[in-house]
Amino acid sequence: MPDGTMPFVSGWHPKDVAGRFSHQYETPRLVERLNEDWYDLAVSSGLLDHRREFLVLLPHGTHTHQAVLRRQNQHYGRRAAPAVWARVGLLDRWDIMGRGAASAFLGIRAGHPGFGMMALDSSVYISCSTGEIGVDVLAVRHPDRSENILQNLEWYAHWDYPRADKELQKRIAVWLAGRAPGTASRSDR
């Protein structure tokens, strides 16, 4: 993974969004349409590098009801593995929103994706979420420069809550502290 990659992205503002699309579940050819629109957004936003490589946040995905129940029944101190970026390449034949979503890495089943993806240079982040009536996908340009995202990460890094993901908090704090001069967050001002 490239040095300096953000450990997590959350808290964007509508002004940070560079592109988006949504499809309701009853959309004809849903998986095909989702794949087509994802590829158009990935290309137009700059997610893919010249080798068609990018980062995917793993483990991730929309949790099924049974997975949530299993997590709730775990001992208080146990946690799932922290999410980490994995470098991947888009093959000539791919199906992100169908077979990919059904794999549990990119969703819960075909047509029900859920993932985070980032360009290798961190210039764009793409989020996909599965809602009650459909699928929403959006691209955020330069998440590492967004005041809203940086404030959210700073808040999370210092959140004093016993069930917070301490490992993720530490990774976020290290990343925030290592940012280049001139990219200070609000608390550094």
Side-chain angles (χ1 to χ4, degrees):
M1 182 171 60
D3 288 339
T5 300
M6 296 178 75
F8 191 68
V9 179
S10 70
W12 53 83
H13 186 273
K15 70 179 183 179
D16 298 321
V17 176
R20 67 176 345 129
F21 66 87
S22 296
H23 290 296
Q24 294 186 354
Y25 295 125
E26 57 271 355
T27 300
R29 302 177 11 254
L30 176 63
V31 169
E32 183 180 333
R33 296 273 309 276
L34 288 168
N35 275 327
E36 290 168 358
D37 289 347
W38 173 85
Y39 186 77
D40 289 345
L41 186 61
V43 170
S44 67
S45 67
L47 176 71
L48 309 174
D49 75 353
H50 67 282
R51 292 182 307 257
R52 296 172 29 132
E53 292 183 346
F54 56 100
L55 302 172
V56 173
L57 192 60
L58 299 175
H60 190 79
T62 307
H63 298 290
T64 65
H65 180 66
Q66 289 300 317
V68 170
L69 290 176
R70 281 192 302 274
R71 258 197 346 236
Q72 289 174 345
N73 291 329
Q74 288 182 348
H75 182 266
Y76 178 76
R78 296 182 60 169
R79 299 282 183 271
V84 295
W85 291 109
R87 187 176 188 149
V88 299
L90 190 65
L91 301 174
D92 290 334
R93 292 184 51 173
W94 55 269
D95 183 7
I96 301 274
M97 304 295 192
R99 288 188 318 267
S103 73
F105 290 110
L106 301 175
I108 57 171
R109 65 178 180 271
H112 288 72
F115 55 76
M117 298 174 172
M118 187 160 354
L120 295 178
D121 64 2
S122 299
S123 62
V124 68
Y125 173 77
I126 292 183
S127 171
C128 176
S129 62
T130 301
E132 289 184 31
I133 62 169
V135 178
D136 299 309
V137 181
L138 60 84
V140 176
R141 285 218 196 270
H142 303 290
D144 58 338
R145 298 182 201 163
S146 164
E147 187 173 327
N148 296 300
I149 292 171
L150 294 174
Q151 286 174 5
N152 186 272
L153 291 179
E154 196 169 306
W155 168 83
Y156 188 79
H158 299 98
W159 187 31
D160 186 22
Y161 181 65
R163 296 187 108 176
D165 183 334
K166 301 299 183 198
E167 177 63 29
L168 180 58
Q169 286 181 303
K170 187 170 106 177
R171 289 193 347 242
I172 290 170
V174 167
W175 180 81
L176 287 168
R179 291 173 39 80
T183 57
S185 61
R186 182 175 287 258
S187 69
D188 297 335
R189 292 183 194 137

